């Protein structure tokens, strides 16, 4: 029986010219080696990545990322502090202390740690008058902890809503049976009108002061 080469059989059954088939065979022959090399390289990269600690960039103001950095460190996650925002004075910053001096409010509403920090500075400038504070949540309330521990404290954090949102705060703030209940709301200039509108709809008289704002960091110092 005549012997027929594998190449001849392939050529007879293939619709492609012999030269094309030969070329395809030559091109395809090294692929298993190439695939193995890529796979091995990929496996090595994965192993290297798994052995190194992951990195997280924290972008709040410098000095205000401490709690998050400590929490991530417990999970062996390294952080890079790279502030992308900073707080600046708002148009009503300078008015806050004089308003506290001149007017007694039933409530002062604080909805962020930064609003709390700005308020405390003005409150001290005004001579630490008696004030009753409503906060949006535990994070904001923590700003006042050191002041509250003072034996001569004239600041009372007296309200926090059942859920830490401005909408719920506005719907739950007590009026204490008063027909006229006044509220001072020191806020970010970029905050929405949700709180004062919600309180006004319930009959509160709200004075909003835009005491700070948030801007992009103009120069990053690493």
């Amino acid at each position: 029986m005549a012997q027929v080469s594998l190449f001849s059989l392939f050529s007879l059954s293939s619709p492609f010219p012999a030269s094309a088939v030969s070329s395809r065979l030559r091109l395809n022959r090294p692929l298993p080696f190439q695939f193995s090399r890529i796979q091995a390289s990929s496996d090595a990269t994965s192993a290297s990545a798994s052995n190194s600690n992951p990195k997280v960039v924290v972008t709040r103001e410098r000095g205000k990322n401490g709690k998050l950095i400590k929490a991530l460190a417990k999970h062996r996650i390294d952080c890079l502090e790279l502030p992308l925002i900073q707080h600046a004075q708002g148009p009503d910053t300078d008015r806050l202390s004089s308003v506290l001096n001149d007017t007694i409010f039933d409530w002062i509403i604080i909805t962020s740690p930064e609003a709390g920090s700005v308020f405390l500075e003005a409150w001290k400038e005004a001579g630490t008058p008696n004030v009753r504070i409503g906060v949006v949540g535990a994070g904001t309330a923590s700003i006042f902890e050191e002041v509250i521990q003072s034996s001569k404290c004239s600041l009372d954090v007296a309200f926090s809503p059942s859920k830490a949102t401005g909408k719920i705060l506005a719907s739950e703030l007590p009026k204490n049976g008063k027909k006229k209940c006044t509220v001072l709301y020191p806020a970010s200039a970029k905050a929405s009108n949700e709180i004062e509108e919600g309180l006004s709809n319930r009959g509160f008289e709200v004075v909003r002061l835009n005491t700070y704002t948030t801007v992009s960091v103009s120069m990053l110092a690493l």
Side-chain angles (χ1 to χ4, degrees):
M1 181 182 292
Q3 292 184 346
V4 181
S5 69
L6 177 62
F7 181 76
S8 299
L9 287 173
F10 196 91
S11 300
L12 290 172
S13 62
S14 172
F16 301 104
S19 60
V21 173
S22 177
S23 175
R24 286 165 62 86
L25 287 172
R26 285 197 301 271
L27 288 173
N28 289 339
R29 192 173 294 124
L31 282 179
F33 169 75
Q34 291 176 354
F35 176 79
S36 298
R37 186 171 63 181
I38 293 171
Q39 184 67 36
S41 175
S42 176
D43 291 343
T45 302
S46 299
S48 175
S50 63
N51 290 333
S52 62
N53 289 335
K55 305 290 183 182
V56 173
V57 177
V58 289
T59 60
R60 293 187 65 195
E61 276 192 296
R62 189 173 297 280
K64 295 188 177 181
N65 297 292
K67 288 185 178 180
L68 178 58
I69 291 173
K70 288 180 180 178
L72 292 172
K74 292 179 180 179
H75 298 280
R76 301 175 61 84
I77 298 175
D78 293 336
C79 294
L80 170 66
E81 190 172 27
L82 184 66
L84 299 181
I85 62 169
Q86 60 186 5
H87 292 118
Q89 285 194 348
D92 300 322
T93 304
D94 295 335
R95 291 181 53 203
L96 183 54
S97 61
S98 61
V99 169
L100 289 170
N101 258 326
D102 298 339
T103 310
I104 297 175
F105 294 91
D106 294 300
W107 288 103
I108 296 173
I109 298 302
I110 305 295
T111 57
S112 72
E114 183 63 22
S117 297
V118 173
F119 169 80
L120 282 176
E121 290 183 13
W123 176 70
K124 292 173 183 177
E125 289 178 9
T128 65
N130 291 321
V131 291
R132 185 168 58 165
I133 305 291
V135 297
V136 75
T140 301
S142 65
I143 295 296
F144 300 101
E145 287 178 356
E146 184 176 345
V147 174
I148 292 173
Q149 291 173 1
S150 170
S151 59
K152 297 181 180 179
C153 180
S154 54
L155 184 151
D156 178 23
V157 177
F159 172 76
S160 181
S162 59
K163 187 176 181 180
T165 69
K167 183 177 181 179
I168 300 300
L169 183 151
S171 67
E172 294 182 350
L173 187 70
K175 293 187 72 174
N176 298 327
K178 292 185 177 182
K179 291 183 178 180
K180 180 182 177 181
C181 197
T182 57
V183 173
L184 174 63
Y185 176 36
S188 166
K190 295 185 177 180
S192 71
N193 297 323
E194 181 178 56
I195 289 178
E196 63 260 40
E197 288 179 356
L199 291 172
S200 296
N201 290 338
R202 292 181 56 212
F204 287 87
E205 293 186 7
V206 183
V207 175
R208 172 172 173 163
L209 296 180
N210 292 322
T211 56
Y212 75 99
T213 189
T214 303
V215 297
S216 299
V217 173
S218 56
M219 183 178 296
L220 298 178
L222 298 180

